[in-house]
Amino acid sequence: MRWDALFSDMEAQFAEGDRLEVEAEISERARIEIASIALCDRLRGSLNSHLTVHLLCGRTYEGTLSHAAADALVLTEVRHQILIPYGAVARYTGLGRTSLAEPSPVRRRIGLSSALRGLARDRSELVVTLRSGPERDSGLSGVIDRVGSDFFDVALVSPGEARRASQVRQVATIPFESLGAIRSRTGAEL
């Protein structure tokens, strides 16, 4: 009888050790999987969710996440869309736990410069928020004139004014790394 109890106890210990080893393996694989998730994949997993995006400059935008590209997202408000580079964000509120990789290699290559070229082509009226600086300097109203590899030019005009040479107050050149957000009307292609 003692031998039966001894073997049963040893068998239970081995089974418990195997179970703990499997649980440790599962936990380690989960940590590795989570470590490989990119922010854009996490945002893509939250498409059509309501988010609050807090920028480094202190400005906050709320809306429905309608697009998550390789280096920027688009929030949709009732009348506007806001293009926000990931590097301008201090934190997100409302982001889900799901992640979704971009299956299209073409979409993976579409970046901030492509979105800005689309806005320039459409001559969209917009407001540029800078990543940092005083609040009075962060709301630049105008139309994107041209887009380089790491900068864009905005012809500054009064809100509601068409972009005509006589209406342009000045042209501001903005490095991509200084961009906090671009707010445009909902009908604009982003």
Side-chain angles (χ1 to χ4, degrees), residues 14-67:
F14 284 130
E16 179 66 16
D18 287 345
R19 186 185 66 75
L20 291 174
E21 189 175 310
V22 168
E23 285 179 7
E25 176 75 17
I26 290 170
S27 294
E28 181 63 21
R29 287 184 185 197
R31 279 191 291 276
I32 290 169
E33 184 178 330
I34 289 169
S36 68
I37 295 172
L39 176 61
C40 60
D41 295 338
R42 179 96 181 271
L43 286 160
R44 207 171 291 109
S46 295
L47 286 175
N48 301 315
S49 297
H50 184 81
L51 291 184
T52 303
V53 179
H54 304 267
L55 301 185
L56 293 168
C57 67
R59 187 111 191 222
T60 302
Y61 290 103
E62 285 188 57
T64 302
L65 179 62
S66 56
H67 187 75

Side-chain angles (χ1 to χ4, degrees), residues 134-166:
E135 184 68 31
R136 62 180 161 73
D137 291 337
S138 68
L140 305 172
S141 297
V143 175
I144 297 177
D145 271 349
R146 62 187 193 152
V147 180
S149 64
D150 60 353
F151 73 93
F152 62 103
D153 288 342
V154 177
L156 302 179
V157 296
S158 297
E161 295 273 336
R163 197 282 184 224
R164 291 186 177 65
S166 62

Side-chain angles (χ1 to χ4, degrees), residues 3 16-17 19 25 30 53 76 88 102 114 119 121 124 165 171 182:
W3 290 105
E16 179 66 16
R19 186 185 66 75
E25 176 75 17
V53 179
T76 301
E102 176 57 67
S114 298
L119 290 168
R121 180 191 64 237
S124 300
V171 175
I182 295 180

Side-chain angles (χ1 to χ4, degrees), residues 75-82 125 183-188:
L75 282 182
T76 301
E77 297 176 329
V78 175
R79 292 191 178 100
H80 299 94
Q81 287 187 306
I82 301 107
E125 179 186 336
R183 189 176 198 190
S184 66
R185 297 208 184 277
T186 307

Side-chain angles (χ1 to χ4, degrees), residues 98-117:
T98 306
S99 64
L100 181 63
E102 176 57 67
S104 168
V106 173
R107 282 186 167 203
R108 279 194 296 263
R109 289 192 311 259
I110 296 174
L112 181 60
S113 60
S114 298
L116 294 175
R117 284 186 186 93

